[in-house]
Amino acid sequence: MAANSITTTAGNMPSVRVLGRVDNWWYSKVAPAIAISYCAALLYQVAAWETARSILLIAFVGLCAGSYGHIINDVYDIEVDRNAGKRNHMARFEPWQRFALCALTLGLGFAPALFVSYSRTSLSLLAVEFLLPTIYSIPPIRLKGRGALGLVCDSFGAHMVPCLYVISVLAHVAGSASMVSSPRSTAFVICTAVWALTLGLIGILIHEFEDRDNDIRSGIRTFATDVEFHSVRTPMAIFYGIELCGFAGMVTILFPVAPAIAIALGIFVLLIAIKLIAHWPHYRHYELDSTAIQWWQLSHPFYEAYLPVAAAIQCAILSPWLAIFPILQFAVFTSTFRQQSAELEDAMRQAFAWIAWGGRLNVDTEANAWAIPFLIPFLGARIVVRNSGPDRWNIRMARPGLRVVAGQEYHIRFLVRATRNRNILFGVWQDHAPWDGLGYGEELAISPKWQVIGRKFTAATSDPQGYFGYWLGGETGTVDLLICSIRPIGPKKSVG
């Protein structure tokens, strides 16, 4: 054991961010808790100064609690990680150094209570927030290896207890004491607890199943190692429904004091609808484990980005002294908003493409292109290729929902031109892996002059999930398409 322990000095000390694995949880755990802080401040009519002080302290406590939980977990996972060949930063420290790191993060987490008046409820919930990762990690209790008990412990500690803690902190400094004891406040607490509990439960289940193969190889027993994924699909779908209902209750209760949250939710739902419509052939394959997980995570960007910003803006509207907090939200959670800006860009791209020609525009990371309506909405599209990528398939105009039948003859028609001479590829392909062609694909040379294209072909393969489209990568410039259609010729044949 001593041979594997390295005395760590200031020169080779990993950063706090690395030791606490902050990037693993800061964006997904702390951002929703801060959002609930804003919501509680609005509901309880907390003064601007108290709101600002409380939220800053809550963020600090969240940093300490999250770091403590991951450090103590890593301390007691050193042998397990070594056997699995996984890197564990705690292995480089002496036992007294590991203890010191745990004691430091624990002490700092309680430090604000020395300077700020906490209620008994807040202190109790703060103690539970640090207790849960302790009993989750430390033998002989070590709930991490006790199946369902580990799930319950993690799901309580991930979101529910932190959210109840921040509500209690804001309630203690409420500007309206009557609101704290009102039925509306009780309903808000219940809805938040239900939402946070199910959110945490789904999160730990997904985490355990994603690590299932590694845990089995390492001999680690978790809930996920004892069951198959298909056995939890229905319960997790039910939990997700409960999560959404709890959150809907929160938004409803908060609407009189925070309409900005409802507005942000409406915008987010619209963006999700565009995303689902554009990529429906992918999301409809619910039998795939990865797709099921993506369904249950559709709402996470709202909790981590839209909700805290909307609530912060609502606070700033009511009190200009809090105008800095929306800016801080963007600054402190930059990575989250950078990702969401890419999602927003894709949603706008898909919306324009759908209006232009009733299909989608898929752009790989190497490329950049937009399709906008041209002359006639739904019949004409102008595709502006700013960065083409190296290959033709890096930019794909796709009209999904095509049921292709082997032996059926089809007629393709469209008008096309470009700002300069170039080539495009058009044809029919599978709208799912392995994305093979379905009987027709042609490289076409186009120019600034309009060309009327008409082609007939007989499908070589049947597929109920095909698409008709164009591959426009490999060359920059603008391509105009008009009246694009594909129709069966003669009697229609069935896929079967």
Side-chain angles (χ1 to χ4, degrees), residues 18 65 93 101 120 137 167 225-226 241 257 361 399 412 428 445:
V18 172
F93 292 96
L101 287 170
R120 291 182 180 179
S137 305
I167 291 175
T225 61
D226 293 339
V257 295
L361 173 62
R399 182 174 288 168
I412 296 174
V428 180

Side-chain angles (χ1 to χ4, degrees), residues 112-124:
L114 300 175
F115 307 101
V116 179
S117 175
Y118 271 19
S119 67
R120 291 182 180 179
T121 301
S122 298
L123 284 172
S124 299

Side-chain angles (χ1 to χ4, degrees), residues 190-202:
I190 292 173
C191 288
T192 302
V194 169
W195 165 73
L197 178 61
T198 48
L199 177 62
L201 184 57
I202 292 173

Side-chain angles (χ1 to χ4, degrees), residues 114-456:
L114 300 175
F115 307 101
V116 179
S117 175
Y118 271 19
S119 67
R120 291 182 180 179
T121 301
S122 298
L123 284 172
S124 299
L125 288 168
L126 183 59
V128 172
E129 190 171 342
F130 280 92
L131 175 64
L132 289 172
T134 304
I135 62 176
Y136 183 79
S137 305
I138 295 182
I141 301 176
R142 193 167 167 80
L143 297 181
K144 182 176 182 177
R146 298 181 183 271
L149 288 176
L151 285 182
V152 173
C153 181
D154 190 277
S155 58
F156 270 72
H159 291 288
M160 192 182 82
V161 172
C163 285
L164 293 178
Y165 161 72
V166 303
I167 291 175
S168 71
V169 169
L170 272 302
H172 188 59
V173 293
S176 173
S178 60
M179 177 57 73
V180 175
S181 57
S182 68
R184 187 171 159 200
S185 174
T186 302
F188 172 68
V189 172
I190 292 173
C191 288
T192 302
V194 169
W195 165 73
L197 178 61
T198 48
L199 177 62
L201 184 57
I202 292 173
I204 184 59
L205 278 168
I206 290 174
H207 174 73
E208 286 196 359
F209 276 103
E210 288 178 338
D211 281 354
R212 185 174 187 270
D213 292 340
N214 287 332
D215 289 341
I216 291 175
R217 283 194 298 268
S218 304
I220 302 173
R221 179 176 177 264
T222 65
F223 177 83
T225 61
D226 293 339
V227 299
E228 297 292 334
F229 184 81
H230 65 79
S231 65
V232 300
R233 289 165 56 85
T234 299
M236 286 184 73
I238 294 173
F239 293 149
Y240 189 52
I242 295 172
E243 172 196 317
L244 296 180
C245 289
F247 188 72
M250 288 169 51
V251 175
T252 302
I253 293 166
L254 291 169
F255 184 77
V257 295
I261 295 176
I263 294 171
L265 181 59
I267 294 171
F268 181 76
V269 169
L270 176 61
L271 295 178
I272 287 295
I274 293 171
K275 181 176 182 178
L276 291 177
I277 292 170
H279 304 286
W280 184 246
H282 168 75
Y283 282 100
R284 73 188 297 269
H285 293 304
Y286 190 69
E287 70 275 5
L288 299 178
D289 296 351
S290 60
T291 305
I293 289 173
Q294 289 174 29
W295 271 110
W296 302 326
Q297 293 178 324
L298 280 174
S299 52
H300 285 199
F302 187 82
Y303 306 149
E304 298 168 15
Y306 291 80
L307 175 61
V309 167
I313 290 174
Q314 187 69 68
C315 287
I317 291 172
L318 295 178
S319 176
W321 293 105
L322 299 176
I324 188 64
F325 278 87
I327 300 172
L328 285 176
Q329 200 70 37
F330 282 102
V332 176
F333 297 94
T334 302
S335 178
T336 297
F337 292 104
R338 187 179 295 116
Q339 180 181 358
Q340 289 312 304
S341 66
E343 290 276 337
L344 179 61
E345 181 181 355
D346 183 65
M348 293 178 63
R349 178 183 287 113
Q350 300 306 334
F352 279 117
W354 182 77
I355 295 173
W357 84 304
R360 65 175 188 264
L361 173 62
N362 295 335
V363 179
D364 293 342
T365 54
E366 304 93 334
N368 184 10
W370 286 79
I372 57 178
F374 176 66
L375 296 182
I376 309 172
F378 298 104
L379 295 178
R382 168 163 287 178
I383 305 93
V384 181
V385 180
R386 296 170 180 168
N387 188 354
S388 64
D391 299 302
R392 195 72 70 200
W393 60 78
N394 290 143
I395 299 172
R396 304 174 301 281
M397 293 283 288
R399 182 174 288 168
L402 179 63
R403 297 174 63 87
V404 181
V405 183
Q408 175 75 58
E409 189 176 12
Y410 294 87
H411 190 193
I412 296 174
R413 298 184 64 185
F414 60 92
L415 286 78
V416 62
R417 73 175 181 183
T419 51
R420 60 181 178 82
N421 293 340
R422 59 160 295 164
N423 287 2
I424 65 171
L425 182 67
F426 71 96
V428 180
W429 294 270
Q430 291 176 324
D431 205 10
H432 57 86
W435 316 103
D436 290 336
L438 295 176
Y440 192 78
E442 178 185 339
E443 185 99 10
L444 178 67
I446 58 177
S447 69
K449 294 183 179 180
W450 283 106
Q451 298 180 50
V452 179
I453 306 299
R455 300 287 190 270
K456 295 180 181 179

